[in-house]
Amino acid sequence: MSEQLVIQGETKQERYEALLPQIKSVVGEEPDLIANMANVAAMLHETFGFWWTGFYRVRDDVLLLGPFQGPMACTRIKKGRGVCGTAWQKGETQIVPDVDQFPGHIACSSASRSEIVVPVTMEGEIIGVLDIDSAELDTFDETDRRYLEQIVKMLP
Ligand code: SME
């Protein structure tokens, strides 16, 4: 695949549609999970210009910071804590239009205003989460959920 990411599209849906085959091609050539998480975070971040885009991996009884793009972040998150820990505990994508209204939100950065967290499942088990933060309110909706859930399924 080409080393350059070129994603065009007027709408969010068009940009996800253009991104999917590129992610598939990158991930399909590489069996290493960390390498793939790193590239997926970079590709999403570059395409949409989010504030923070990255993964946390389940390690024993915590979520441990994994590959990401953006400012430094909290290293360990307990089950049920914040948006990430809630997505892990419930096994469901969490869409938060306004992080100030989410009880227990962990503010790694005060610039973060809205957030989506998608569980990453392998062989029926949650092995991590994809966390995306936006510096604007109400950035994420069902379109993001649908495409991001497809994208995390591509990880090995
Ligand atoms: N805000 C998240 C913590 C992770 S950072 O935003 C990167 C949460 O409440 O789970």
PDB file of all heavy atoms in Angstrom, residues 2-15:
ATOM      1  N   SER A   2       0.292   2.349  -0.434  1.00  0.00           N
ATOM      2  CA  SER A   2       1.054   3.593  -0.462  1.00  0.00           C
ATOM      3  C   SER A   2       1.309   4.069   0.967  1.00  0.00           C
ATOM      4  O   SER A   2       0.543   3.818   1.870  1.00  0.00           O
ATOM      5  CB  SER A   2       0.238   4.618  -1.252  1.00  0.00           C
ATOM      6  OG  SER A   2       0.188   5.823  -0.567  1.00  0.00           O
ATOM      7  N   GLU A   3       2.403   4.778   1.164  1.00  0.00           N
ATOM      8  CA  GLU A   3       2.767   5.240   2.508  1.00  0.00           C
ATOM      9  C   GLU A   3       2.017   6.510   2.860  1.00  0.00           C
ATOM     10  O   GLU A   3       2.118   7.009   3.954  1.00  0.00           O
ATOM     11  CB  GLU A   3       4.271   5.528   2.574  1.00  0.00           C
ATOM     12  CG  GLU A   3       5.127   4.348   2.167  1.00  0.00           C
ATOM     13  CD  GLU A   3       5.382   3.387   3.304  1.00  0.00           C
ATOM     14  OE1 GLU A   3       5.860   3.848   4.333  1.00  0.00           O
ATOM     15  OE2 GLU A   3       5.092   2.195   3.148  1.00  0.00           O
ATOM     16  N   GLN A   4       1.301   7.028   1.882  1.00  0.00           N
ATOM     17  CA  GLN A   4       0.620   8.297   2.123  1.00  0.00           C
ATOM     18  C   GLN A   4      -0.886   8.096   2.240  1.00  0.00           C
ATOM     19  O   GLN A   4      -1.490   7.363   1.460  1.00  0.00           O
ATOM     20  CB  GLN A   4       0.923   9.242   0.968  1.00  0.00           C
ATOM     21  CG  GLN A   4       0.836  10.680   1.409  1.00  0.00           C
ATOM     22  CD  GLN A   4       0.911  11.614   0.236  1.00  0.00           C
ATOM     23  OE1 GLN A   4       1.373  11.252  -0.842  1.00  0.00           O
ATOM     24  NE2 GLN A   4       0.428  12.811   0.426  1.00  0.00           N
ATOM     25  N   LEU A   5      -1.439   8.754   3.233  1.00  0.00           N
ATOM     26  CA  LEU A   5      -2.876   8.642   3.440  1.00  0.00           C
ATOM     27  C   LEU A   5      -3.557   9.833   2.780  1.00  0.00           C
ATOM     28  O   LEU A   5      -3.286  10.975   3.116  1.00  0.00           O
ATOM     29  CB  LEU A   5      -3.162   8.641   4.937  1.00  0.00           C
ATOM     30  CG  LEU A   5      -4.621   8.517   5.362  1.00  0.00           C
ATOM     31  CD1 LEU A   5      -5.162   7.138   5.028  1.00  0.00           C
ATOM     32  CD2 LEU A   5      -4.756   8.793   6.844  1.00  0.00           C
ATOM     33  N   VAL A   6      -4.427   9.537   1.803  1.00  0.00           N
ATOM     34  CA  VAL A   6      -5.160  10.631   1.166  1.00  0.00           C
ATOM     35  C   VAL A   6      -6.644  10.318   1.278  1.00  0.00           C
ATOM     36  O   VAL A   6      -7.155   9.414   0.630  1.00  0.00           O
ATOM     37  CB  VAL A   6      -4.786  10.790  -0.325  1.00  0.00           C
ATOM     38  CG1 VAL A   6      -5.507  11.994  -0.917  1.00  0.00           C
ATOM     39  CG2 VAL A   6      -3.293  10.939  -0.490  1.00  0.00           C
ATOM     40  N   ILE A   7      -7.312  11.026   2.152  1.00  0.00           N
ATOM     41  CA  ILE A   7      -8.736  10.776   2.357  1.00  0.00           C
ATOM     42  C   ILE A   7      -9.503  12.040   2.019  1.00  0.00           C
ATOM     43  O   ILE A   7      -9.254  13.102   2.581  1.00  0.00           O
ATOM     44  CB  ILE A   7      -9.026  10.383   3.827  1.00  0.00           C
ATOM     45  CG1 ILE A   7      -8.319   9.083   4.208  1.00  0.00           C
ATOM     46  CG2 ILE A   7     -10.528  10.275   4.072  1.00  0.00           C
ATOM     47  CD1 ILE A   7      -8.761   7.853   3.478  1.00  0.00           C
ATOM     48  N   GLN A   8     -10.422  11.876   1.057  1.00  0.00           N
ATOM     49  CA  GLN A   8     -11.245  13.025   0.709  1.00  0.00           C
ATOM     50  C   GLN A   8     -12.700  12.680   0.946  1.00  0.00           C
ATOM     51  O   GLN A   8     -13.073  11.525   0.946  1.00  0.00           O
ATOM     52  CB  GLN A   8     -11.017  13.391  -0.753  1.00  0.00           C
ATOM     53  CG  GLN A   8      -9.671  14.078  -0.917  1.00  0.00           C
ATOM     54  CD  GLN A   8      -9.266  14.214  -2.352  1.00  0.00           C
ATOM     55  OE1 GLN A   8      -9.717  13.460  -3.198  1.00  0.00           O
ATOM     56  NE2 GLN A   8      -8.406  15.173  -2.623  1.00  0.00           N
ATOM     57  N   GLY A   9     -13.508  13.680   1.129  1.00  0.00           N
ATOM     58  CA  GLY A   9     -14.933  13.430   1.323  1.00  0.00           C
ATOM     59  C   GLY A   9     -15.542  14.606   2.029  1.00  0.00           C
ATOM     60  O   GLY A   9     -14.929  15.197   2.906  1.00  0.00           O
ATOM     61  N   GLU A  10     -16.754  14.908   1.601  1.00  0.00           N
ATOM     62  CA  GLU A  10     -17.464  16.048   2.197  1.00  0.00           C
ATOM     63  C   GLU A  10     -17.995  15.658   3.570  1.00  0.00           C
ATOM     64  O   GLU A  10     -17.854  16.396   4.534  1.00  0.00           O
ATOM     65  CB  GLU A  10     -18.662  16.415   1.301  1.00  0.00           C
ATOM     66  CG  GLU A  10     -18.287  16.990  -0.040  1.00  0.00           C
ATOM     67  CD  GLU A  10     -17.874  18.449   0.071  1.00  0.00           C
ATOM     68  OE1 GLU A  10     -18.613  19.196   0.718  1.00  0.00           O
ATOM     69  OE2 GLU A  10     -16.818  18.800  -0.477  1.00  0.00           O
ATOM     70  N   THR A  11     -18.624  14.491   3.610  1.00  0.00           N
ATOM     71  CA  THR A  11     -19.298  14.108   4.843  1.00  0.00           C
ATOM     72  C   THR A  11     -18.438  13.115   5.618  1.00  0.00           C
ATOM     73  O   THR A  11     -17.532  12.495   5.076  1.00  0.00           O
ATOM     74  CB  THR A  11     -20.651  13.429   4.552  1.00  0.00           C
ATOM     75  OG1 THR A  11     -20.388  12.199   3.878  1.00  0.00           O
ATOM     76  CG2 THR A  11     -21.543  14.313   3.697  1.00  0.00           C
ATOM     77  N   LYS A  12     -18.780  12.986   6.888  1.00  0.00           N
ATOM     78  CA  LYS A  12     -18.147  12.022   7.773  1.00  0.00           C
ATOM     79  C   LYS A  12     -18.241  10.609   7.173  1.00  0.00           C
ATOM     80  O   LYS A  12     -17.283   9.867   7.125  1.00  0.00           O
ATOM     81  CB  LYS A  12     -18.955  12.110   9.061  1.00  0.00           C
ATOM     82  CG  LYS A  12     -18.497  11.310  10.187  1.00  0.00           C
ATOM     83  CD  LYS A  12     -19.547  11.352  11.278  1.00  0.00           C
ATOM     84  CE  LYS A  12     -19.364  12.518  12.220  1.00  0.00           C
ATOM     85  NZ  LYS A  12     -20.119  12.364  13.477  1.00  0.00           N
ATOM     86  N   GLN A  13     -19.455  10.293   6.666  1.00  0.00           N
ATOM     87  CA  GLN A  13     -19.668   8.967   6.098  1.00  0.00           C
ATOM     88  C   GLN A  13     -18.761   8.720   4.901  1.00  0.00           C
ATOM     89  O   GLN A  13     -18.140   7.654   4.781  1.00  0.00           O
ATOM     90  CB  GLN A  13     -21.129   8.815   5.674  1.00  0.00           C
ATOM     91  CG  GLN A  13     -21.435   7.435   5.162  1.00  0.00           C
ATOM     92  CD  GLN A  13     -22.924   7.155   5.059  1.00  0.00           C
ATOM     93  OE1 GLN A  13     -23.746   7.905   5.596  1.00  0.00           O
ATOM     94  NE2 GLN A  13     -23.273   6.103   4.359  1.00  0.00           N
ATOM     95  N   GLU A  14     -18.617   9.709   4.027  1.00  0.00           N
ATOM     96  CA  GLU A  14     -17.736   9.557   2.854  1.00  0.00           C
ATOM     97  C   GLU A  14     -16.284   9.347   3.287  1.00  0.00           C
ATOM     98  O   GLU A  14     -15.563   8.557   2.689  1.00  0.00           O
ATOM     99  CB  GLU A  14     -17.830  10.797   1.959  1.00  0.00           C
ATOM    100  CG  GLU A  14     -19.079  10.819   1.108  1.00  0.00           C
ATOM    101  CD  GLU A  14     -19.315  12.174   0.426  1.00  0.00           C
ATOM    102  OE1 GLU A  14     -18.510  13.113   0.621  1.00  0.00           O
ATOM    103  OE2 GLU A  14     -20.318  12.274  -0.287  1.00  0.00           O
ATOM    104  N   ARG A  15     -15.888  10.052   4.325  1.00  0.00           N
ATOM    105  CA  ARG A  15     -14.494   9.905   4.771  1.00  0.00           C
ATOM    106  C   ARG A  15     -14.249   8.544   5.418  1.00  0.00           C
ATOM    107  O   ARG A  15     -13.223   7.919   5.195  1.00  0.00           O
ATOM    108  CB  ARG A  15     -14.095  11.062   5.674  1.00  0.00           C
ATOM    109  CG  ARG A  15     -13.797  12.297   4.833  1.00  0.00           C
ATOM    110  CD  ARG A  15     -13.211  13.405   5.640  1.00  0.00           C
ATOM    111  NE  ARG A  15     -14.292  14.190   6.221  1.00  0.00           N
ATOM    112  CZ  ARG A  15     -14.144  15.005   7.255  1.00  0.00           C
ATOM    113  NH1 ARG A  15     -12.974  15.128   7.833  1.00  0.00           N
ATOM    114  NH2 ARG A  15     -15.161  15.691   7.692  1.00  0.00           N
TER     115      ARG A  15
END
